[in-house]
Amino acid sequence: MEIYDENNVRYEQARRQVERLRGFYGHLFAYIAVNAMIVVYNIRHLEPGESYFQFKNFFTATFWGIGLVAHAAAVYVPNIGFVRNWEEKQIRKLMEKKEKKRNL
């Protein structure tokens, strides 16, 4: 019975990682699409002789990019922070409780 439980835990960990990856790729796609639209809008609304390279034209990409990098770190850097460790401990506790109830 332990082998099944270990496989189940591994499956759930893999499933959660795939969900995190899917969320990150959605975030990345939105970042690229929205910032591409902002670039097109900004280029179309430049005054004659005005340079595109101004901070106001990179404001959204810069600060949203910081959030995107943080999201990537959370997805790709294993066991970042205490949250994942806490999550794993809670899963193990619940599984142990369930196993104890089943054995009674």
Side-chain angles (χ1 to χ4, degrees):
M1 196 58 112
E2 258 181 66
I3 294 172
Y4 174 75
D5 287 343
E6 183 65 29
N7 287 338
N8 196 22
V9 169
R10 287 185 182 156
Y11 173 80
E12 285 301 315
Q13 289 172 337
R15 187 184 61 75
R16 283 196 314 270
Q17 182 62 19
V18 168
E19 286 176 1
R20 287 184 201 109
L21 283 169
R22 185 179 63 213
F24 172 70
Y25 290 142
H27 188 181
L28 178 62
F29 176 77
Y31 175 83
I32 291 169
V34 169
N35 281 295
M37 288 187 287
I38 290 172
V39 167
V40 169
Y41 176 84
N42 287 340
I43 288 173
R44 287 185 171 200
H45 291 87
L46 284 176
E47 297 294 326
E50 184 181 15
S51 173
Y52 181 79
F53 297 101
Q54 302 172 42
F55 181 71
K56 69 179 183 175
N57 293 333
F58 296 96
F59 185 81
T60 302
T62 300
F63 290 102
W64 190 356
I66 292 168
L68 187 64
V69 168
H71 193 172
V75 170
Y76 288 105
V77 177
N79 295 323
I80 190 167
F82 69 92
V83 175
R84 285 220 185 120
N85 292 333
W86 176 84
E87 188 178 79
E88 292 301 323
K89 286 179 186 177
Q90 295 303 313
I91 290 170
R92 285 192 181 105
K93 282 181 187 177
L94 289 173
M95 288 179 66
E96 287 172 5
K97 284 181 184 179
K98 203 177 217 183
E99 187 65 31
K100 284 179 185 178
K101 285 181 182 180
R102 197 179 331 175
N103 289 334
L104 290 178

